[in-house]
Amino acid sequence: MKLNFAIRKLFALFLFALLLFCCKDKQRDPIEIETEEVAILLKKHGYNNEHVEQPEELKAICQEKQRTVKDSTNYYRLAEVIALCDFYSNRLDTAMNVFNSIFDFCNKKDSTDIRIATLEAHSYIDMGSFYTQMEKTDSSLYYLQKGVNAAKRQDNVKLEAVAYINIAANQYQTGNYAMAASNYRNALLVIDTLDYNNKKTLDRPCYFGLAR
């Protein structure tokens, strides 16, 4: 009898826990859910930070998703990836125009909002990387430093490290080896606060740069 009562009690607790879980899921912010959907979509179709495997295909997917998203930050997050696709498809002017529209959007929003600051930091770093590849050093450093500042505002250590690594690569490319070494060390200082998986990905270019 006591055993049956204990089983019924455990079953009741399980049902209660399941109910709480379901209620919590229903109460989730729709924007949060949409943001996750966008991230999953991008990962599924080969987007990994700044790397784009099939730009034309990914651009079409992002444009299709833009038609259904309800949150403006998610819309411009997709626009950022579209700009990357345009760059890798050698449509430089189109890419720059898209990035300028992202900056206009971010400037009208609260810069302390984490999602806005992340979008802004990503876009500045992308722009800086583009100018580095085009060998426009001053423009590159200008946008990469803005990327550092935006990443610091939201305490995004990973993005801050990425910006420093890009700055160092730019300076090495132009023969400013002392400043390049200094910024590789700046990157390592912030990388040291990351978990192992992120650390091993980001510290390699730093050590390689310092060893050259």
Side-chain angles (χ1 to χ4, degrees):
M1 186 74 178
K2 288 182 179 179
L3 182 61
N4 288 337
F5 176 75
I7 292 172
R8 286 199 299 271
K9 186 176 180 181
L10 283 172
F11 184 67
L13 287 170
F14 170 76
L15 289 177
F16 181 68
L18 184 63
L19 179 62
L20 284 177
F21 176 80
C22 293
C23 290
K24 183 179 179 182
D25 189 60
K26 287 179 181 178
Q27 292 171 359
R28 283 186 66 201
D29 185 352
I31 293 176
E32 181 185 344
I33 295 171
E34 185 180 87
T35 302
E36 284 183 10
E37 289 174 352
V38 169
I40 291 168
L41 176 77
L42 294 176
K43 186 175 181 180
K44 177 182 176 182
H45 292 282
Y47 173 74
N48 182 20
N49 294 329
E50 296 177 17
H51 181 64
V52 176
E53 293 179 357
Q54 296 178 306
E56 294 301 324
E57 179 184 332
L58 183 57
K59 178 178 178 178
I61 290 165
C62 289
Q63 287 176 324
E64 182 66 28
K65 185 64 177 176
Q66 276 186 319
R67 298 187 184 98
T68 60
V69 294
K70 297 179 180 178
D71 175 65
S72 56
T73 304
N74 285 329
Y75 179 91
Y76 281 100
R77 172 68 178 117
L78 291 163
E80 181 210 340
V81 180
I82 288 170
L84 283 171
C85 294
D86 283 327
F87 179 82
Y88 286 114
S89 298
N90 205 33
R91 291 188 291 267
L92 305 186
D93 289 342
T94 304
M96 296 304 180
N97 288 336
V98 175
F99 274 119
N100 285 330
S101 72
I102 295 170
F103 297 138
D104 287 342
F105 167 75
C106 291
N107 288 336
K108 294 173 184 175
K109 299 294 181 179
D110 180 4
S111 62
T112 62
D113 183 295
I114 290 177
R115 295 172 66 235
I116 296 296
T118 300
L119 174 64
E120 190 176 24
H122 266 295
S123 299
Y124 281 137
I125 293 168
D126 289 341
M127 282 281 280
S129 299
F130 291 170
Y131 279 120
T132 296
Q133 293 180 53
M134 291 186 283
E135 298 183 353
K136 295 184 177 181
T137 306
D138 291 342
S139 296
S140 173
L141 291 175
Y142 172 78
Y143 282 106
L144 289 171
Q145 187 57 55
K146 278 183 166 288
V148 170
N149 296 338
K152 282 183 174 180
R153 277 204 310 273
Q154 48 144 333
D155 199 28
N156 190 321
V157 176
K158 188 174 180 180
L159 274 181
E160 185 182 349
V162 169
Y164 277 129
I165 291 168
N166 277 279
I167 289 172
N170 181 301
Q171 291 165 330
Y172 185 90
Q173 183 177 304
T174 57
N176 195 344
Y177 303 124
M179 286 303 297
S182 176
N183 278 301
Y184 278 128
R185 292 190 186 97
N186 285 337
L188 285 171
L189 285 173
V190 293
I191 289 168
D192 196 47
T193 65
L194 292 168
D195 60 65
Y196 174 74
N197 287 331
N198 283 312
K199 189 181 293 186
K200 72 177 182 180
T201 303
L202 290 171
D203 64 7
R204 288 173 186 170
C206 298
Y207 289 123
F208 177 76
L210 289 169
R212 285 189 290 183

